[in-house]
Each structure stands twice: as structure tokens, then as C-alpha cells.
Amino acid sequence: MRTYTGTCHCGKVAFEVDTVLDGVGVCNCSICRRRNAVMHRVAAENFRLVRGAGDLVLYQFNTGTAKHYFCGTCGVYPFHRPRLAPEAYTVNVFCLEGVGDEEIAALSVNRFDGRSFSSVE
Ligand SMILES: [Zn+2]
């Protein structure tokens, strides 16, 4: 386990996750595809919002189960609470400090076919 700090672009939102970054996920559902995110899921007890609770904007659609957050200032997607695991946090790997492009490229990629769920989010 290692602790990673993640931030949005402007820095108003910051979070920490404790995890073993052994893989990433990408998804082809309507929102993941648009935000082009490379993601990593952690359990709620391994996620801490450091700052920015008042700067996060919540976006929900469809069943309203998932909670998609973005920074209200810079628009970056830092993390969300996924529909299929609403108790967890899924973070944007590219927001994590100290994780290089080569490291990300070397990780195994789980391609989730979210588009095939009738009502994805
Ligand atoms: Zn921001």
C-alpha cells in the first residue's frame, strides 16, 4: 500500500488514497468515454478528501446512483462513486501526483464495457 495525493487542475480539490496501484480501468459508457478517464477504484476507508468539499460539483443522471464529481473552477474530474460499487471511490489516475506516464502505460488495463449496460452511468 502506498499513499497517493490527487488534485484537480486548479488545486482547490485534493484527495488522498491508500492503494496498490496494480491496474487501471477504462470504460466505454456515455460519461467515461466523454471524459476519457483512466481510473482506479479504492474502498471508502482508503479515500480521504483533503480539501474542496465546497468546490466539488455533483453531476448525476439516469438512475442517480453514481455520484460524478468535477471541480467547479477548473472542470477536472477527480473521482466519482460508481453505480456498480457506490460504497467505493473511483479516482482519476491522471490526477495522482508522482505517477508517471510510463508507469501508467505499464499497468494492466481492465476495459469495462459500460456501454452494454442498458442504463449506464
Ligand atoms: Zn479545480
Side-chain angles (χ1 to χ4, degrees):
M1 275 291 231
R2 191 181 136 188
T3 299
Y4 296 89
T5 299
T7 58
C8 66
H9 189 265
C10 72
K12 287 188 173 175
V13 176
F15 61 93
E16 288 180 345
V17 290
D18 303 320
T19 193
V20 177
L21 191 58
D22 54 0
V24 294
V26 296
C27 174
N28 62 3
C29 85
S30 59
I31 189 164
C32 289
R33 201 164 172 275
R34 279 170 171 81
R35 65 190 172 198
N36 195 25
V38 174
M39 302 171 284
H40 180 77
R41 184 186 297 175
V42 299
E45 60 264 31
N46 293 326
F47 177 94
R48 293 173 298 280
L49 183 65
V50 175
R51 64 174 179 270
D55 296 290
L56 287 167
V57 179
L58 173 63
Y59 174 64
Q60 292 181 285
F61 63 97
N62 199 7
T63 67
T65 308
K67 293 186 167 113
H68 298 280
Y69 294 101
F70 62 93
C71 172
T73 298
C74 67
V76 162
Y77 150 68
F79 57 83
H80 77 283
R81 318 243 10 211
R83 175 185 171 202
L84 297 179
E87 73 287 358
Y89 284 81
T90 298
V91 304
N92 180 351
V93 170
F94 286 118
C95 287
L96 301 179
E97 293 172 359
V99 181
D101 291 341
E102 297 84 3
E103 182 180 348
I104 292 172
L107 294 171
S108 67
V109 179
N110 174 36
R111 296 188 183 278
F112 183 68
D113 186 20
R115 185 167 48 197
S116 295
F117 283 71
S118 59
S119 49
V120 290
E121 54 182 302

